[in-house]
Amino acid sequence: MSFSKPMGEVVRLPIPNNTAPADDSAPGINAAPDDAEDLRSEGAADVDTSFEVQLDPDADAEGVPVDDGVGYLLDDPEGDAYPVIPHHLRSLAGVGEAIGRHTRRAAHRLAFHAVRAPRYLALAGVWGAVGVWRLIDRQLSWWWVSENDYLRSLAVAQGDSREWYKLHREVKETRRVRGTILAGQAAAVLAGGLLLVKFAPWWGWAAVATVAVPWLAHFGRPQDHPIIAPATTVPRFRLLNHDVVLRAYYSAGLGHAEKMNEQVTFETTMSRTKEGEGSQVKVVLPHGTGFDAVVKAKDKLASGLDVAPSQVYLTHDPSSHRRHTLTVMDRDPLAVPAGKTPLLDCKRRNIWRPAPFGLDEHGRKVALGLLWISILIGAQPRKGKTFSARLLALYAALDPSVRLSVVDGKNSPDWNKFAMVAYHFIRGTVPNRAGDPVRQFIAALAEIKQHIIDTNDFLSTLSVEECPEGKLTEELCRRYPKHLFIWMLVVEEFQNYFELPDQDDNKEIAELLSFILAVGPSSGVVLLSSSQKPSGVGAGDVQRLFNRYRDNHAVRFALRCGNRNVSDAILGGDAYSEGFDASALPVGKPYLGVGYLYGADDHTPTVRTHLADHGDAEKILTAARRMRERAGTLNGYAAGEDTGAPDRDVLGDVLAVFGADPGLHWTELAERLAGQFGDRWADATADAVSAQCRDLGVPSVDVKRGGVTRKGCRKRDAKAATDGTAAG
């Protein structure tokens, strides 16, 4: 007879009455941490780690991932299957790193035990002597048949003489047989000892001692006194099973164990996460209790589980408000830094590919696609907001085809090095020696707005065969680099430009930013905004435009916030009901750069961003400038141009300063331009002039002047480029 269960019915799992033992004898509790972690990180699917104990005998061993990792998460190409060859062993550098790691561990263990070798020998001798005595005592007890004493005493107590005589005869016979065996054993040991004394060399004694002494020492030592101490620490995790989870939910007020209609049940068995870093189970709440209640009780739930709140993750089931997946990490994943940014290799990047951002709570790489979106980053001061925004801007800087505009509303040194590559570089809100930053910002926004309009107009002129969907593509940007390119606008502390003394400036900036936010992403303009004050800014139309600008960002990244209202302003009103409150993120130095990445995908990870400090940023930007110089895309502020002034006729000015000379070095050309056209070329450098001329079709060639050959340009090439531009 067979029984079938209708699809969709919740299976209530049997809950064991007693939890698994928590002593050291529990299987797997004292597994060596280093080997287990290495095997786990190398993709071994069937490795017993220090936490993988059988909590539920009938449980399915295969875990169900909390999310599929689709979108910005960099998945394994094999899908759910573990790779045949781990990713870190697919290169010589990865193999070398693995060999080095194991070599360092082996060297540490060797040094650790070598220092303690005399102590080990002394303990082995002491416990070896105890082992000899215990062995003799056990054999004597075996020979004397001491286990029969109870039966004979029982026969005496019952007055059964026949049974006593029967047992006595059997004991005498057994003692005779066992005594013979022991006598033979003693004779053999004595003969072996005499042979060793008479014939064996010193290494024979050493071989016997090597085998006998460790065995006797192990036999003689107490179970809780190991002779050889471990060279590494042994991790111990919370023992998680269904009973522990039920206790936590009931103590958090999410149900009642005694009331039938208020009991918490489970839809799946307890299992390990796909990454092997935690445990998870799908929980079904009582009728009338929803996911919102679990979110509010998260701290109490963590207390019931005896873990930190940052180890508890709740994933809502879109099919039911009663169901969710509870994931409990073995360690606090947010306290483990994600490490330095991979951009430090200073290699050229492609803006059409996702930018590495950090690691999520499961240790998976998080990469964010920057195109077609706008990004809002918010947090309290000194929580990693600027560093997070700078990571994405550094990625864009390493693509020479990307035009970069940096506007720093707080006028801090954090963005100063971007002056090496930025087309616009604007700091503060108060006029200074560089000019009026407010007017410069308005001019920059107007230029970006015009670029958006020009891009859409240019795309409309292309044929259906060349541009079938009327959208910007990577191929079109390569084909028409002068007309189509990606432009990133970074606005740090953007609220400062909504609170200017001049209300007309506030309104003009607000209207331009709103236009760019609404239309820019589809035209290849990436907007990266950051703020520590995302609400309560402006009044009237300015306030309305500010809120619209803030709320229309497609992707939000919220680090630690002061309160829930600020978190909602950054993440949006729906985030809290989904379990995301940036004001509840942990506080402390280990948690700098930790935040919720909301809106990039259906799943919202808790990201630990990579680190790029000031020195790292300078190194990356120096490489980015060289790339732009070689590609001929260094322009604007970085090239010494006044981006707030009207466009100058580069080729016309160059031809005007040549005079009768057929060719000039770039250095001479820059000096002549600065001397004759100081209003337009006062700060021009040789690199800047070279980049602009090459961008207009003037080749950089060897020019010999005064017996010295250096790079420069020829007058005929400049004139040919001028004629070609006019003809085009």
Side-chain angles (χ1 to χ4, degrees), residues 120-177:
Y120 296 160
L121 291 175
L123 288 175
V126 172
W127 293 121
V130 174
V132 171
W133 174 255
R134 284 188 177 181
L135 182 61
I136 294 174
D137 180 69
R138 181 172 294 185
Q139 289 194 324
L140 290 176
S141 297
W142 176 73
W143 167 58
W144 200 248
V145 198
S146 56
E147 66 272 16
N148 195 271
D149 292 345
Y150 172 74
L151 297 176
R152 288 186 293 167
S153 298
L154 185 62
V156 172
Q158 294 176 350
D160 190 348
S161 59
R162 180 178 297 179
E163 181 67 17
W164 186 89
Y165 277 118
K166 178 183 176 182
L167 293 172
H168 182 65
R169 286 194 300 269
E170 290 178 356
V171 167
K172 288 178 63 177
E173 179 63 21
T174 303
R175 286 175 179 170
R176 184 183 64 80
V177 174

Side-chain angles (χ1 to χ4, degrees), residues 672-720:
R672 292 190 182 186
L673 287 170
Q676 295 187 32
F677 306 105
D679 58 331
R680 301 192 294 271
W681 298 91
D683 298 323
T685 63
D687 290 339
V689 174
S690 171
Q692 293 177 69
C693 288
R694 284 184 284 118
D695 189 49
L696 294 172
V698 180
S700 178
V701 297
D702 292 331
V703 176
K704 186 175 183 180
R705 285 181 57 79
V708 178
T709 301
R710 294 178 182 171
K711 289 294 182 181
C713 71
R714 301 190 183 279
K715 185 177 181 178
R716 65 171 182 268
D717 294 334
K719 191 173 186 309

Side-chain angles (χ1 to χ4, degrees), residues 464-534:
V464 178
E465 292 77 13
E466 191 173 16
C467 186
E469 298 183 3
K471 295 181 179 179
L472 194 67
T473 64
E474 183 177 3
E475 182 181 356
L476 289 174
C477 288
R478 291 178 178 175
R479 190 177 301 170
Y480 305 105
K482 293 183 181 180
H483 301 282
L484 305 178
F485 53 87
I486 304 302
W487 195 327
M488 173 178 277
L489 171 60
V490 181
V491 188
E492 171 85 351
E493 301 295 357
F494 66 89
Q495 77 280 353
N496 290 341
Y497 295 100
F498 287 81
E499 298 181 308
L500 298 170
D502 191 330
Q503 292 301 317
D504 292 335
D505 289 343
N506 288 333
K507 189 173 182 180
E508 186 174 3
I509 290 175
E511 290 175 347
L512 286 168
L513 282 175
S514 295
F515 175 87
I516 294 172
L517 181 67
V519 186
S522 62
S523 303
V525 176
V526 182
L527 193 55
L528 178 58
S529 311
S530 68
S531 174
Q532 59 179 290
K533 187 184 178 184

Side-chain angles (χ1 to χ4, degrees), residues 421-433:
V421 297
Y423 180 79
H424 294 118
F425 185 67
I426 303 167
R427 292 177 293 176
T429 59
V430 180
N432 49 49
R433 288 182 296 179

